[in-house]
Amino acid sequence: MNKFGIFSILMVIASIVSFFIIRGPNANLMMAIIVLGVFSLFGIVFAFLSKKWLSGILGVLMNGTVLVFVYFLILAKGIAG
C-alpha cells in the first residue's frame, strides 16, 4: 500500500472514531452528517489517488459504506423533521 491507500483507510477509522465521539441522545445530527460525509469523500478521493488495486478497492468499499450510513442519517433526519 502507498500513502494514499493508508490515508483512505485512516479516513474510515477517523469516521468510526468521530461517530462514537459525536453520538448520544443530545447529539448534533447535522454536525455528524457533515463530519462523516467529509471524511468519507476524502477517503474515496484518496482511494482513487492510490493507484493500487487492493487499497483502492478496500478504500472505496469501506468509505462507501460510511457514505451509505450518512445517507441513512440524512433520511432519518428528514423523517424525524
Side-chain angles (χ1 to χ4, degrees):
M1 268 195 220
N2 56 3
K3 67 178 178 179
F4 288 122
I6 292 171
F7 284 158
S8 176
I9 293 173
L10 283 177
M11 288 295 122
V12 173
I13 294 169
S15 296
I16 293 169
V17 169
S18 66
F19 172 74
F20 283 121
I21 290 172
I22 294 172
R23 72 184 175 105
N26 296 325
N28 187 354
L29 190 59
M30 198 62 201
M31 183 180 73
I33 290 169
I34 291 171
V35 168
L36 293 175
V38 167
F39 281 163
S40 178
L41 289 176
F42 277 147
I44 290 173
V45 169
F46 286 144
F48 281 131
L49 290 175
S50 75
K51 305 287 190 232
K52 299 277 185 176
W53 282 98
L54 179 64
S55 61
I57 290 172
L58 282 176
V60 169
L61 284 177
M62 290 191 297
N63 284 301
T65 305
V66 173
L67 205 57
V68 168
F69 182 73
V70 169
Y71 172 73
F72 286 139
L73 284 176
I74 293 171
L75 190 65
K77 183 171 175 58
I79 290 173

